[in-house]
DNA sequence: TTTT
DNA sequence: TTTT
């Protein structure tokens, strides 16, 4: 099947500080959730707030960038692709979790904004190169095997 | 939170014929899965096939278009946004399913291709207008309450 | 020709304050240029700066939003479509200018940032709705008839 | 200026057969125009046809793919970025041409469709890898120096 | 569960 | 200059 496209663009805020982990094969990986605002004005003209949460997965050099320079509350742009992985819960039931495998992460707010964690105080280098991540295996990420959404 | 973006673009093939349903409030809705090809060439130069499946939800006039003119195997373009909804399984456990709420559906292969179902024999009108779906509530779709991924 | 897509996404900074104008038919319109950074690291590891400039055109309510709340230097997100219009220069030669007709404009930096103009001091309302602009006629914009790039 | 995005997505039909050329530095390059349909229904319910033409530039391996397997009338998907280059017309006046530098080209209609040229009869290999083109210099393309839009 |  |  040659004709295919799987592309996601998000702008939103990190729900927590990204924490660096490693896959069983030693690849750096970072997971965090990202909030997008889906608020709208209803028929009565009243503003309704609604937040959508997305699970972001970042590998390799960009994972290290995230761990070093991003933190909870930061506004970022994410380009990536959708991937749904299968896992087993404690009852042995198959579950599915959909994640965005990021190919590009870009901080949008000024450095030092929204930061409570010490890792965000260092000067942030530029991080704009797109990287071909190749096939990724989030399921082999240490400590993620039983993670619910 | 003003700054926000939640955008998905997919090109892929339908896994089954779309079937028209109605939300409890009477809105036309269609669900189908879409396959994107994530095949790649490994380090040994060997081709590895991999398919990613996406759950697509379409409302209103575009839902009727899908039910009337699309069918299993058709190649389509989808523009939409990510939404994760919560549901309870038989054990009373909370589960999450991520779907793409489509705002635009576009058939890419010539009409009449890949069709085995009778609904696809009628001439297909153009269907290119983008429609603001507003807030959507897939959870209120009749018969979807217990649907696993 | 049913199958068609024409979509542009930009994140960049305004080159000047947007100035509100009106088409001959009375539609509010705003034009400004937007800079995207295309810098890269050359083979010698040296950083090369390069800026790409884009002509943005915004109509109707979003035009008024831009005129009222944006200013030179602000970081924004633009979603739109490409359009090339024809015009005649003083020598009577046909020229072409390619513009991005914006369907969505979103400020990304905190309100009050980078602002030197008085129009940006008022509190900015949210501006996230996508608006179907319909067919647009930049050529009928008063004072744009002879505008070079 | 770290935060930046310059992304274009197009689905349309080739206006002519792509012809392979080489930059002065020996890079394969292909130029062709792509038509997107901007037709709409006016207030009287009458269908208005409108076509937008885009200049596409493709480099390296993807240029060879285009020259070998694409032809006039084929439906393709293009992912790329906007670039405006400066050139001098016969009167010595500076002119600007905006092009889409493609990073990914994908044929959407079945192989062998719409082909009148002999180069499209060979079996088409898959061509889905995204390629980092790096900085590109369309201005140095042989024979393009004086090309009007 | 699609397709080439 | 494409196509349905």
């Amino acid at each position: 099947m040659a004709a295919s496209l799987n592309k996601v663009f998000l702008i939103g805020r990190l729900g927590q500080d990204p924490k660096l982990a490693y896959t069983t094969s030693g690849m750096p990986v970072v997971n965090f959730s990202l909030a997008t605002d889906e608020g709208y004005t209803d028929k009565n003209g009243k503003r309704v707030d609604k937040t959508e949460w997305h699970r972001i997965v970042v590998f390799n050099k960009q994972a290290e960038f995230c761990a070093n320079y991003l933190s909870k509350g930061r506004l970022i742009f994410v380009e990536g692709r959708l991937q749904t992985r299968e896992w087993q819960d404690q009852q042995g039931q198959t579950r599915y979790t959909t994640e965005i495998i990021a190919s590009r992460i870009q901080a949008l707010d000024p450095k030092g904004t929204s930061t409570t964690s010490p890792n965000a105080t260092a000067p942030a280098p530029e991080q704009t190169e797109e990287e071909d991540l190749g096939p990724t295996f989030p399921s082999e990420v240490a400590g993620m095997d039983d993670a619910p959404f």
Side-chain angles (χ1 to χ4, degrees), chain A residues 71-86:
Chain A
S71 53
K72 183 169 151 177
R74 290 293 301 273
L75 182 70
I76 64 168
F77 167 82
V78 176
E79 177 174 349
R81 67 175 203 275
L82 287 168
Q83 191 170 275
T84 299
R85 64 183 167 84
E86 214 179 294

